[in-house]
Structures are given as C-alpha cells and as structure tokens.
Amino acid sequence: MTKQSRKYMFIITLRILSCLFLVNLSQNALAFSIPEKLEYDLTWTGIKAGNAVLEVKDNGAHIEIISRANSAKWVSVFYHVEDVVTSTLKKEQDNGIFKGFAGIPYNYRLKLKEGKHVRDKEVMFDQKTKKIIYTNHIDKKSSEFNINEEVFDPLSSFYYVRGIPLSVGQSVFVNVFDSKKMYNLEVQVLKKESVETPLGTFKTILIKPVMKSEGIFKKKGDIFIWLSDDEKKIPVLLKTTAPVGSIKATLVGGQF
C-alpha cells in the first residue's frame, strides 16, 4: 500500500460517516434515540484499519451529535488519524423544516488530524436571519455567507434524513451547506436487501447519494449506505470504492 493510497483510504472512510443529505421536505419524525451511540469497524479490503463512533447526547439546553474516527494502532505508526466532528443543536420549537427534529442546528465544528494534515473549521448558523459565519481556525480567517433557506450542517443532516420516508425507485433531493457552498444533491433509493453484520442480519434500504461537491468525492467512486428498514433507519453498513479495493464502515456495537 503506497502512502498516497493509505491517505486516500482513511480520508474517504472517515468522510463517509459525515456525508450528508438534507431532504427538502417539511415533515420529519425523530427516528433516532437520545442518547444513541453507534460503533463501527473501519476496514480496507477486509483489513481492520480503524474505528468510528457516531453519538447523540442531551446536554440540557442543547443536543450534541458527535462523530469520532481513529486509526488502528498499527496504522497510526505511519499515518495517525484522530478526527472529531460535532454538531450542536438548540432545543427550540420550529414550524419550518426543523419541525419534529431534535433541535435547530447552530454550531458545527470539524477538527481533523490525518497524518501531517490538520483542519479546524467552525460554522455558526443564524437560521432566522439566514446568515452563516464560517471560521478557519488554522488561518484565523472568517467569512459570512447568505442563505435563502433553513439548512443543516453535514453531520446533523444525516440524522434528519433518517426520519424521512424512503421509497425504492424514488430519489429525494438534498440541499446542504458545506465547504462554503450550498449544494443540491440527489439521494437515490436503490433497493431493499438483507445485510449480515457482527450484530446479526438486518433488513435494509440501500441509498446512494450522488455527490457533486468539490474534493475527494468528485468522480472518485460511488458511496452506498445501508439503513435498517425500520423506524430508526440505523446506518448498519457504509461502503465506497477506492483506487485499490473498497472501504467499509460496519456497525459492530453501541446503544440504539
């Protein structure tokens, strides 16, 4: 495995867990539990390469959604990965797109350590005035953006979509603010099938987000996500292709 292949493997695997969808519908039911904790094994061509956790916590006035990913010890010797992404929601009532959701997204913090590459960015949402403040804490620079609708950050939008009805053969269209831009994505609902995991066999719905954003997802392989075919729509398996082999995130434990 070359250094470039290793770097690509981990970045794409970790980013899978925060690849996003914001479905442009006004009704949503809270599908996930609070608290909730989902634990994953990250593998490359069948080899254990790390682990990840998706977690939801109630901190009183706020709800926190946290994604953590770490490389395995043997991998960290030559390419250490330690990523933490946090989405904070205000516990406020809303009659718009956030109605029935856990809260209103207002802070998104992404802190990545991947080899020598370090990122630390923060996004503050003002949903009422339709403004976003983006801060790069590495460069110590901030920018302001105007948006024309209510939006989710990349992490919370994934939880939002779990409450949306999905029908095989019918795409849902997604609006998301990420990387200083608003994107319109298509999420294809492909089929239903059974998936075997260390926790047993799940009946699932397979979805495929058609990524259009700049960066590693652009024309570098499809992403597939298997959600449990029930009210919670738990992501039990995530998979993408790499230049060599495939990368998987498989549910292995947690509280849900």
Side-chain angles (χ1 to χ4, degrees):
M1 189 194 320
T2 66
K3 181 177 180 181
Q4 184 64 26
S5 296
R6 291 194 299 267
K7 181 177 181 180
Y8 182 88
M9 174 183 69
F10 288 109
I11 293 176
I12 206 72
T13 302
L14 304 176
R15 290 285 293 275
I16 286 176
L17 295 178
S18 59
C19 76
L20 289 265
F21 344 113
L22 169 57
V23 180
N24 193 16
L25 299 174
S26 60
Q27 294 183 344
N28 182 61
L30 189 61
F32 55 91
S33 302
I34 302 175
E36 180 186 72
K37 187 176 184 179
L38 306 175
E39 300 172 349
Y40 296 87
D41 275 351
L42 305 180
T43 58
W44 174 73
T45 61
I47 302 172
K48 175 70 177 291
N51 60 76
V53 175
L54 291 173
E55 190 169 10
V56 185
K57 294 181 178 181
D58 187 335
N59 286 338
H62 304 126
I63 298 293
E64 283 190 341
I65 304 175
I66 306 166
S67 170
R68 296 185 178 89
N70 298 88
S71 51
K73 289 183 179 180
W74 71 270
V75 175
S76 296
V77 172
F78 55 84
Y79 193 81
H80 179 72
V81 173
E82 184 180 351
D83 291 356
V84 180
V85 181
T86 304
S87 171
T88 304
L89 315 176
K90 290 182 179 180
K91 286 185 181 179
E92 294 183 4
Q93 297 296 320
D94 186 85
N95 293 321
I97 199 168
F98 305 120
K99 184 177 181 180
F101 191 56
I104 299 176
Y106 87 99
N107 182 273
Y108 174 71
R109 188 70 179 264
L110 182 146
K111 302 178 76 172
L112 306 180
K113 295 180 181 179
E114 299 167 353
K116 295 181 180 180
H117 180 67
V118 178
R119 294 178 64 194
D120 185 352
K121 72 176 184 178
E122 183 175 17
V123 181
M124 295 291 296
F125 295 85
D126 189 330
Q127 304 285 356
K128 294 181 179 179
T129 63
K130 301 294 188 295
K131 292 186 181 296
I132 290 176
I133 303 296
Y134 172 94
T135 301
N136 185 326
H137 289 284
I138 301 297
D139 296 338
K140 301 185 185 303
K141 295 181 179 179
S142 295
S143 304
E144 182 176 299
F145 298 87
N146 295 317
I147 55 176
N148 56 14
E149 58 189 299
E150 296 169 314
V151 298
F152 283 71
D153 60 75
L155 185 56
S156 64
S157 65
F158 177 73
Y159 282 78
Y160 179 82
V161 80
R162 288 170 59 184
I164 298 298
L166 301 175
S167 299
V168 173
Q170 296 183 12
S171 294
V172 292
F173 291 87
V174 177
N175 294 318
V176 59
F177 182 88
D178 189 25
S179 299
K180 298 194 258 188
K181 293 182 181 179
M182 177 80 76
Y183 296 108
N184 180 259
L185 307 179
E186 178 187 7
V187 179
Q188 299 175 353
V189 186
L190 301 180
K191 60 181 178 179
K192 295 187 178 185
E193 63 180 3
S194 295
V195 171
E196 293 185 6
T197 75
L199 299 181
T201 301
F202 289 84
K203 294 181 179 180
T204 69
I205 302 175
L206 175 60
I207 63 175
K208 173 188 172 184
V210 182
M211 308 302 294
K212 298 179 182 179
S213 60
E214 297 178 359
I216 61 174
F217 286 126
K218 189 174 181 179
K219 299 181 180 179
K220 288 190 177 181
D222 294 327
I223 300 168
F224 298 94
I225 303 174
W226 285 261
L227 302 173
S228 61
D229 189 10
D230 55 24
E231 292 182 354
K232 291 190 174 182
K233 292 188 179 69
I234 297 169
V236 300
L237 178 66
L238 304 94
K239 181 179 179 181
T240 190
T241 55
V244 179
S246 62
I247 300 159
K248 293 182 180 179
T250 305
L251 184 69
V252 295
Q255 176 187 356
F256 48 89

